[in-house]
């Protein structure tokens, strides 16, 4: 099979950024590439559990207030709900093209990114949007338009949405003042992918895709101050940092898409490998009881599997 055919087989979504393609080409073109620069964690998970296995690429994961696992399905443009490990997913909403990030809102609301595509390379197009989905009824309505991309979506306690673009130096923001929705397409000139807010809401941690870096945005300063928390060197800089999560002990978890690993970081920038061999991990989330373990980390992949990393969350 030719190189291009191999790449088409390996990468299930054209929405993956140019940075990821560059990283993939660099890694495949390297002589005997290895990912040995980052050590294994003391709580390394040698044998992750497979929670679900199917053929569709999964982009994002969140847990709703009922404890269900919600997943965005790239291939079908659907939101799936998984009530318990090993069960069959049900479709909550459909018809959302180039689906991207997920973020829980008030009540039964879920905010869903649409426009997670190569259009993100040209922010001036403003081709992405955010939908609001009622998880109880499945009703879907467009909430915000004119964004550069909607690869990741994170919601702050005040309702502000942060929207990432892994193809350009863009971090978008959506605010709502008394029912009036305002879109800042380029709120911050910063390449962005997975994101997570600190418990106090003062810091937005984000992954830069390529070269892979973990960064922190201070939301208390104007303009927001951006600092680098971790920047792996050598081939590890091509790991393609994708999804990002945080546990109750402020450990940060990174889905290293190209490397097929989950990395753990603390807020000082120390990195270690928590799990590997996961085949294009895209996002992750700490489990929510009663059906998913609160001490486990759950990882979605573009290869169609959802993995559980038992004991990873603290």
């Amino acid at each position: 099979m030719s190189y291009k055919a191999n790449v088409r087989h390996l990468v299930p979504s054209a929405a993956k950024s140019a940075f990821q393609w560059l990283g993939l080409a660099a890694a495949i073109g390297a002589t005997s590439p290895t990912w040995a620069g980052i050590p294994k964690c003391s709580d390394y998970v040698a044998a992750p559990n497979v929670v679900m296995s199917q053929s569709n690429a999964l982009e994002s994961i969140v847990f709703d207030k009922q404890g269900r696992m919600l997943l965005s399905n790239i291939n079908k443009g659907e939101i799936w709900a998984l009530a318990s490990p090993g069960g069959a997913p049900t479709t909550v909403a459909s018809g959302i093209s180039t689906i991207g990030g997920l973020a829980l809102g008030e009540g039964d609301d879920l905010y869903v990114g649409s426009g997670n595509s190569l259009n993100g390379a040209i922010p001036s197009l403003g081709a992405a949007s955010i939908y609001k989905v009622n998880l109880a009824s499945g009703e879907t309505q467009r909430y915000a338009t004119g964004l550069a991309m909607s690869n990741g979506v994170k919601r702050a306690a005040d309702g502000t949405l942060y929207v990432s673009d892994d193809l350009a130096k863009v971090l978008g923001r959506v605010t709502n003042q008394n029912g009036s929705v305002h879109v800042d397409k380029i709120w911050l000139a910063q390449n962005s992918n997975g994101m997570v807010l600190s418990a106090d809401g003062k810091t937005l941690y984000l992954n830069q895709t390529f070269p892979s870096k973990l960064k922190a945005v201070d939301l208390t300063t104007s303009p927001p101050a951006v600092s680098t928390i971790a920047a792996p060197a050598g081939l590890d800089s091509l790991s393609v940092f994708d999804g990002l999560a945080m546990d109750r002990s402020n450990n940060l978890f990174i889905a290293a898409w190209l490397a097929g690993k989950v990395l753990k970081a603390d807020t000082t920038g120390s990195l270690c490998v928590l799990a590997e061999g996961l085949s294009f991990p895209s996002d992750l989330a700490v489990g929510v009881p009663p059906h998913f373990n609160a001490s486990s980390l759950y990882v979605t992949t573009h290869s169609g599997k959802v993995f559980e990393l038992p004991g990873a969350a603290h």
Side-chain angles (χ1 to χ4, degrees), residues 9-195:
H9 174 71
L10 287 170
V11 184
S13 169
K16 281 290 107 180
S17 76
F19 296 125
Q20 289 164 309
W21 283 98
L22 287 170
L24 181 60
I28 290 175
T31 301
S32 300
T34 60
W35 308 91
I38 301 173
K40 290 183 179 180
C41 302
S42 59
D43 54 351
Y44 175 80
V45 180
N49 298 327
V50 177
V51 174
M52 186 176 74
S53 180
Q54 44 78 60
S55 61
N56 293 278
L58 303 172
E59 177 68 11
S60 297
I61 176 174
V62 294
F63 286 90
D64 69 8
K65 296 174 177 66
Q66 301 175 43
R68 298 183 302 172
M69 178 188 292
L70 302 180
L71 305 162
S72 57
N73 181 324
I74 296 173
N75 302 79
K76 294 188 174 183
E78 295 176 345
I79 299 164
W80 285 357
L82 187 66
S84 61
T90 58
T91 301
V92 174
S94 60
I96 303 174
S97 63
T98 55
I99 196 167
L102 304 175
L104 284 182
E106 297 292 333
D108 291 320
D109 289 339
L110 177 72
Y111 294 92
V112 183
S114 174
N116 180 31
S117 72
L118 294 174
N119 286 330
I122 310 174
S124 60
L125 292 176
S129 57
I130 301 291
Y131 283 88
K132 185 162 69 171
V133 175
N134 185 289
L135 292 171
S137 66
E139 180 186 357
T140 301
Q141 58 180 321
R142 201 181 297 268
Y143 177 76
T145 60
L147 289 153
M149 195 179 186
S150 59
N151 180 264
V153 181
K154 282 294 177 244
R155 184 179 183 274
D158 65 358
T160 298
L161 297 176
Y162 297 96
V163 187
S164 67
D165 183 339
D166 65 4
L167 273 167
K169 290 183 67 174
V170 171
L171 175 62
R173 186 180 70 167
V174 180
T175 54
N176 189 326
Q177 296 293 330
N178 300 318
S180 177
V181 176
H182 177 74
V183 172
D184 292 305
K185 181 169 59 179
I186 308 177
W187 176 66
L188 197 62
Q190 168 64 54
N191 176 255
S192 51
N193 201 316
M195 302 172 288

Side-chain angles (χ1 to χ4, degrees), residues 214-235:
L214 172 62
K215 295 194 171 188
V217 180
D218 186 344
L219 300 177
T220 67
T221 63
S222 183
V226 181
S227 58
T228 297
I229 303 297
L235 193 58

